Amino acid sequence: QLGAVSRWTGRACPPGTPRCGAAMLSSLEWVVFYVFFLTHIPITVLIDGQGVLPGELYPSELKDLVKWYGSTEGFNDPLMRDTPQWFVHIVVCELVLQLPFFFFALYALHTKSNALRIPALLYGSHVCTTMVPILGHFAYSPSLEARDRSSLISLYLPYLLVPAYLILAMLRGDPFPAKEKHS
């Protein structure tokens, strides 16, 4: 008796082969995504949030860090220094949409829940879309020297690449083996 038919190859799977042909998250992918979401929470709240939330919420040390980062002595980041209105709206989306997703993603990764798949596709698509104007701003900003331009693009690029890879990983199928239902 043959097992299921692979949805990827169209060939019959050997008997007893769970999820034949569906690529699940590898251990390395799991770690990369877990660390990405875990580290993104404090960055979103403590650094990015300063562009839109009341300054009274932040200790002077954190405000000084962001001020240094945006200055020419730091990374010369015009988005964090000048906070143009279009960037403020991207940060609002980060706080309202992405931040809750980070907690959900960490929980789903921890519990190996396939409920991660569709929200991860939405998250990845949203973030990739928001990173295009940010990276474009750095690439074509006349106020940035080549050194600053390459530093900022290098610093922000993982925030495009990891969500883009997350999309590809979730398009392969469910990220975890199906849990057996007990009757």
Side-chain angles (χ1 to χ4, degrees):
Q1 172 182 350
L2 293 175
V5 174
S6 167
R7 64 180 169 179
W8 302 104
T9 65
R11 297 185 188 140
C13 302
T17 306
R19 297 179 36 85
C20 172
M24 296 177 276
L25 287 181
S26 70
S27 297
L28 177 61
E29 289 169 328
W30 187 95
V31 168
V32 167
F33 296 144
Y34 198 89
V35 170
F36 179 80
F37 294 127
L38 187 64
T39 59
H40 215 298
I41 292 169
I43 292 168
T44 298
V45 174
L46 302 175
I47 305 300
D48 298 348
Q50 288 189 48
V52 296
L53 296 174
E56 302 81 48
L57 294 175
Y58 296 96
S60 59
E61 295 82 9
L62 277 177
K63 290 192 243 182
D64 291 344
L65 174 65
V66 171
K67 189 181 230 180
W68 168 84
Y69 171 78
S71 74
T72 54
E73 291 81 33
F75 283 83
N76 197 22
D77 186 337
L79 297 179
M80 294 302 287
R81 180 183 60 240
D82 305 330
T83 56
Q85 197 60 43
W86 63 268
F87 182 67
V88 169
H89 295 292
I90 288 176
V91 174
V92 168
C93 287
E94 183 179 3
L95 289 166
V96 173
L97 301 174
Q98 295 177 38
L99 184 61
F101 173 76
F102 299 150
F103 290 98
F104 169 77
L106 288 170
Y107 177 78
L109 287 165
H110 182 73
T111 61
K112 295 185 173 27
S113 171
N114 285 322
L116 174 66
R117 185 168 183 253
I118 299 301
L121 286 166
L122 295 170
Y123 163 80
S125 300
H126 166 73
V127 172
C128 288
T129 302
T130 64
M131 289 308 300
V132 170
I134 291 171
L135 292 169
H137 185 77
F138 294 145
Y140 297 105
S141 177
S143 67
L144 291 173
E145 307 255 340
R147 178 183 57 86
D148 295 330
R149 187 181 322 271
S150 61
S151 293
L152 288 167
I153 290 173
S154 297
L155 188 66
Y156 278 72
L157 197 57
Y159 297 100
L160 170 67
L161 296 179
V162 172
Y165 189 77
L166 178 68
I167 292 170
L168 296 175
M170 294 300 126
L171 286 174
R172 293 189 314 226
D174 286 340
F176 304 107
K179 294 182 176 148
E180 292 186 25
K181 299 193 180 187
H182 300 285
S183 46

